[in-house]
Amino acid sequence: MVKVTVCGAAGGIGQPLSLLLKQSPRISHLSLYDIVNTPGVAADLSHINTQSKVTGHVGNEQLKEAIEGSDVVVIPAGVPRKPGMTRDDLFKINASIVRDLATAAAKYAPKAFMCIISNPVNSTVPIVAEVFKKHGVYDPRRIFGVTTLDIVRASTFIGGLIGAEPSTVACKVVGGHSGHTILPLISQVPGASGKLTPEQIEKVTNRIQFGGDEVVKAKNGAGSATLSMAYAGARFALNLVEAAFFGKSIVECTYVQLDADKQGAQDTKRVIGNELQYFSVPVALGPNGVESILPIGSLSSFEQSLFSKAVAELKGNIAKGTNFVAESKL
Ligand SMILES: NC(=O)C1=CN([C@@H]2O[C@H](COP(=O)(O)OP(=O)(O)OC[C@H]3O[C@@H](n4cnc5c(N)ncnc54)[C@H](O)[C@@H]3O)[C@@H](O)[C@H]2O)C=CC1
Ligand SMILES: O=C([O-])CC(=O)C(=O)O
């Protein structure tokens, strides 16, 4: 019996994400929470002939029943970007939304695996961690920033360039989830670096780093990536369910606390130093969430040159999230 709660389930990501999760035979209860419209979304999805029960919960007074006893909580709640905005510009509104949802999870589902989609992910993940610490239920192995869309984009863009079926192209993407903090390790993709010129590698790296902006621009004020994010979010959540509850071995890059596996993080710290508590790294998922952090592997000199910029930006993003909770009355 696996209960998955989606917070922000009526939104641009929340609805297609819930649709994809409804198709999984691994989920027994799909709980949909939002401040608007979830009764309708839940009624609609509940007519799909898969086994999971779907419930809809709307407004703060129904948050407890939505989240209580969840095994996995996925959070795509909050505002998306408009052209000209950075993800960090969303902090003002989304930080308190994520903090309050994390508070409910810490109280009513303290063992849940938390999958954070709301931006800025670099800061919202530390917010969730700090809230859980304040409630005395913190386990760094159970809190994840969902950076899967960066991996999905890397497969697609690199696959297109080298003429490979995109889903077969596995590219680690480490770092964070904003512009220069997104670090695709193309030199490790079998068959890719030999086929691409340095100029092509630089160009496709930039496209992966700023893929979100490409969508924001094309949507022209109507939001950011929703459908590809729903796909990526469902991939991550379902992989986590498979690994945590059904014994499957799965490795995904995800933004986690490096303390989740101090030993395993040594390799990453050799490259990024000891300044950062959070980084997206390849993680072996299992019954406890993060079972181990795997090496990020060797980097090309081009990739190495991208790291210093990423580390400086991430440091500020992480401190912003941590300080926000320290200054919040909980
Ligand atoms: N991690 C990633 O790779 C990505 C993250 N995002 C982020 O995901 C977030 C959601 O994006 P969209 O779905 O496009 O936005 P949206 O505006 O379409 O949907 C957001 C939903 O959150 C709900 N909401 C607002 N406050 C809430 C609260 N306190 N509790 C529960 N629900 C609440 C809204 O009612 C709305 O239904 C944004 O912050 C966006 O930047 C978007 C794409 C990729
Ligand atoms: O770009 C945005 O604001 C949404 C996002 O995180 C992405 O598409 O990667």
Side-chain angles (χ1 to χ4, degrees):
M1 300 287 279
V2 176
K3 175 177 176 180
V4 177
T5 299
V6 179
C7 296
I13 296 167
Q15 290 202 39
L17 171 62
S18 302
L19 170 64
L20 293 169
L21 296 177
K22 176 67 178 129
Q23 294 177 44
S24 170
R26 298 304 204 184
I27 295 172
S28 46
H29 181 178
L30 184 58
S31 169
L32 307 182
Y33 175 75
D34 202 301
I35 51 170
V36 292
N37 299 340
T38 33
V41 177
D44 189 354
L45 284 181
S46 72
H47 289 188
I48 294 175
N49 59 345
T50 53
Q51 57 120 27
S52 51
K53 172 175 89 172
V54 183
T55 55
H57 313 267
V58 68
N60 197 42
E61 58 290 351
Q62 294 181 11
L63 178 54
K64 178 182 178 203
E65 66 182 36
I67 232 166
E68 199 156 44
S70 299
D71 298 294
V72 177
V73 174
V74 190
I75 305 187
V79 291
R81 283 200 284 167
K82 288 190 176 358
M85 292 171 83
T86 65
R87 291 180 182 81
D88 187 53
D89 292 334
L90 303 172
F91 186 95
K92 237 176 146 181
I93 297 176
N94 290 353
S96 50
I97 293 175
V98 172
R99 177 197 59 199
D100 296 347
L101 292 169
T103 301
K107 284 187 192 163
Y108 308 125
K111 292 264 181 223
F113 295 110
M114 302 294 294
C115 305
I116 316 305
I117 293 172
S118 312
N119 272 316
V121 167
N122 296 355
S123 306
T124 52
V125 171
I127 288 174
V128 175
E130 293 303 313
V131 168
F132 272 58
K133 281 181 199 170
K134 278 204 171 181
H135 284 83
V137 294
Y138 176 60
D139 180 347
R141 298 172 303 173
R142 305 177 95 83
I143 299 172
F144 304 91
V146 182
T147 55
T148 319
L149 182 53
D150 302 318
I151 300 155
V152 167
R153 285 183 177 133
S155 307
T156 307
F157 302 160
I158 296 166
L161 276 178
I162 64 174
E165 151 68 40
S167 66
T168 66
V169 179
C171 180
K172 282 182 205 162
V173 183
V174 300
H177 180 67
S178 67
H180 293 292
T181 71
I182 298 171
L183 304 167
L185 303 182
I186 299 172
S187 66
Q188 297 177 24
V189 179
S193 47
K195 285 191 184 157
L196 299 173
T197 64
E199 291 72 31
Q200 282 178 310
I201 290 176
E202 206 169 307
K203 222 169 151 187
V204 75
T205 297
N206 188 269
R207 188 169 179 214
I208 295 162
Q209 292 181 316
F210 293 92
D213 297 66
E214 208 175 285
V215 181
V216 168
K217 197 170 164 216
K219 290 200 174 178
N220 197 21
S224 56
T226 53
L227 302 173
S228 52
M229 182 59 234
Y231 168 83
R235 166 171 143 178
F236 184 78
L238 293 172
N239 272 341
L240 185 58
V241 166
E242 285 293 339
F245 303 106
F246 298 96
K248 200 165 166 191
S249 299
I250 289 170
V251 174
E252 275 283 17
C253 287
T254 165
Y255 184 71
V256 293
Q257 243 264 14
L258 292 174
D259 268 357
D261 173 17
K262 286 196 176 75
Q263 198 64 30
Q266 287 312 315
D267 167 78
T268 306
K269 287 186 176 174
R270 256 196 301 278
V271 182
I272 64 170
N274 288 314
E275 284 183 292
L276 298 182
Q277 290 166 281
Y278 297 84
F279 210 70
S280 185
V281 280
V283 167
L285 300 168
N288 298 303
V290 177
E291 292 303 328
S292 59
I293 292 176
L294 305 176
I296 54 176
S298 59
L299 309 178
S300 67
S301 54
F302 169 65
E303 287 157 3
Q304 240 152 13
S305 74
L306 302 174
F307 267 65
S308 51
K309 208 168 186 174
V311 169
E313 191 171 323
L314 265 173
K315 202 175 152 193
N317 296 156
I318 293 166
K320 195 168 170 177
T322 306
N323 294 339
F324 175 76
V325 179
E327 287 156 14
S328 294
K329 281 203 190 83
L330 288 184

